Amino acid sequence: MTEPMTLAARLAAPITLVRRALTNPAELGVWLAEYAEVDLPKRYEFWGRYTPEGDAAHQRLLHADDDRLRFAWLLDGVETTTEITLRPDGSDATVLTLSQSHFDFADVINGTSIRGVLQTYWSLAIANLAAHLEGRPLLPKTDFTSTEFRGELVIAAPADKVWESLTDSEQASTWFGYPIGIEPWVGGRYAMGGFESGYAAKVVDLEPGRRMSVDWGPSGVTNWELAESEGKTKLTFVQSGFDTQNPPYAAWSGSVAGLAELRRFHEVPDWQPIWLPEEAAAGAAS
């Protein structure tokens, strides 16, 4: 059995509002799933096209109280466990910690189990919960019934500023929260983990200030395009060229989740990421 995967985020809302967003079926239907049914302390279920193996509800509630929610979730024939805890951070913020069992990064690489999407699935879900609580438009949810990966995001900043933050290694590493090495020219490297990581995707198309395409190999080609109007920038992002029999749902969900911080990076005064360091997440979960 693998070690639990843990995420922690600081949400800009008091704990009562976060708890309601986590347990109210109507709110869950906004930020998490296509369908949700909740009857605490007996039932907590969500399903639909935005949920892995969402043909039906596969959750079984294990525990629920004012600051902790734990449920079993059957995925690819294995009963996993998800636990969400809340603690107040002052009067107007909440730290949410999510622990997920049965996540193995090897499943991300080889695509042999839908459980490989769990880390980025929950990252995107928490990013959308944060956007919901802040009153911002949500990012596109991953449709696990589709092989079309396309989304749009409007950022309240000029296109040249957004372009710089997308193509400058230092800025991209800052808002994404992970080292990224970028050579912004055709044939240049795009390296998650930095240029020393041992693997780099390749920039295959670029029009400065407007669009860039990066070839990730089996995961396909990511295309970004910017269009400015009235001081705001519409970012259109598309992933294509992958094996449609094994769509890279994990990679797509992670890319979209990262864009939540790109928008906040430009729009939030004195920006700080919602994500807490790994050691803080691990400490909160222990």
Side-chain angles (χ1 to χ4, degrees):
M1 181 175 172
T2 57
E3 291 295 317
M5 174 272 295
T6 304
L7 300 168
R10 185 181 187 273
L11 305 174
I15 194 168
T16 53
L17 296 185
V18 178
R19 185 185 300 120
R20 187 179 69 186
L22 284 168
T23 57
N24 181 285
E27 292 201 48
L28 288 168
V30 172
W31 67 268
L32 179 64
E34 191 174 14
Y35 308 107
E37 292 290 343
V38 178
D39 182 15
L40 300 181
K42 297 180 291 185
R43 184 182 186 192
Y44 190 87
E45 298 176 339
F46 53 93
W47 69 98
R49 57 187 173 144
Y50 304 128
T51 303
E53 294 191 341
D55 57 308
H58 297 298
Q59 298 81 28
R60 179 171 60 88
L61 185 61
L62 300 174
H63 176 83
D65 59 30
D66 286 346
D67 58 10
R68 190 177 302 268
L69 179 68
R70 185 169 68 251
F71 55 88
W73 185 4
L74 187 67
L75 284 168
D76 196 18
V78 174
E79 189 170 78
T80 75
T81 302
T82 307
E83 180 167 290
I84 301 171
T85 61
L86 306 176
R87 65 171 175 84
D89 186 13
S91 62
D92 59 354
T94 303
V95 172
L96 178 149
T97 303
L98 183 143
S99 176
Q100 173 67 62
S101 74
H102 293 82
F103 171 75
D104 188 338
F105 193 74
D107 291 330
V108 181
I109 303 302
N110 56 38
T112 55
S113 173
I114 191 63
R115 294 190 301 274
V117 309
L118 283 169
Q119 185 175 43
T120 55
Y121 166 79
W122 281 123
S123 296
L124 178 54
I126 293 170
N128 269 335
L129 171 59
H132 171 64
L133 293 167
E134 293 177 4
R136 299 177 186 276
L138 270 63
L139 293 117
K141 303 182 188 76
T142 298
D143 184 343
F144 291 95
T145 69
S146 175
T147 58
E148 182 178 348
F149 294 169
R150 179 184 180 89
E152 293 181 352
L153 182 67
V154 175
I155 301 171
D160 61 336
K161 296 296 186 182
V162 177
W163 174 261
E164 183 181 7
S165 62
L166 281 168
T167 58
D168 177 79
S169 297
E170 183 176 353
Q171 288 195 39
S173 299
T174 297
W175 61 259
F176 196 77
Y178 188 71
I180 304 177
I182 305 171
E183 295 175 338
W185 55 80
V186 173
R189 294 173 295 171
Y190 195 106
M192 298 298 295
F195 293 130
E196 297 77 26
S197 63
Y199 172 78
K202 183 179 180 180
V203 178
V204 293
D205 184 43
L206 185 141
E207 180 181 338
R210 185 168 179 267
R211 70 171 189 267
M212 182 164 70
S213 300
V214 179
D215 187 347
W216 296 93
S219 295
V221 176
T222 300
N223 303 279
W224 300 321
E225 186 167 333
L226 305 181
E228 183 177 336
S229 177
E230 298 180 347
K232 296 183 178 181
T233 301
K234 181 173 74 173
L235 169 63
T236 302
F237 42 99
V238 181
Q239 192 152 337
S240 59
F242 50 81
D243 178 6
T244 57
Q245 299 303 307
N246 189 21
Y249 292 121
W252 173 252
S253 300
S255 296
V256 178
L259 295 177
E261 286 303 325
L262 171 66
R263 179 173 63 187
R264 295 182 72 256
F265 178 75
H266 286 283
E267 294 185 352
V268 176
D270 302 317
W271 168 83
Q272 292 291 326
I274 67 168
W275 303 107
L276 300 178
E278 288 186 13
E279 56 269 22
S286 61

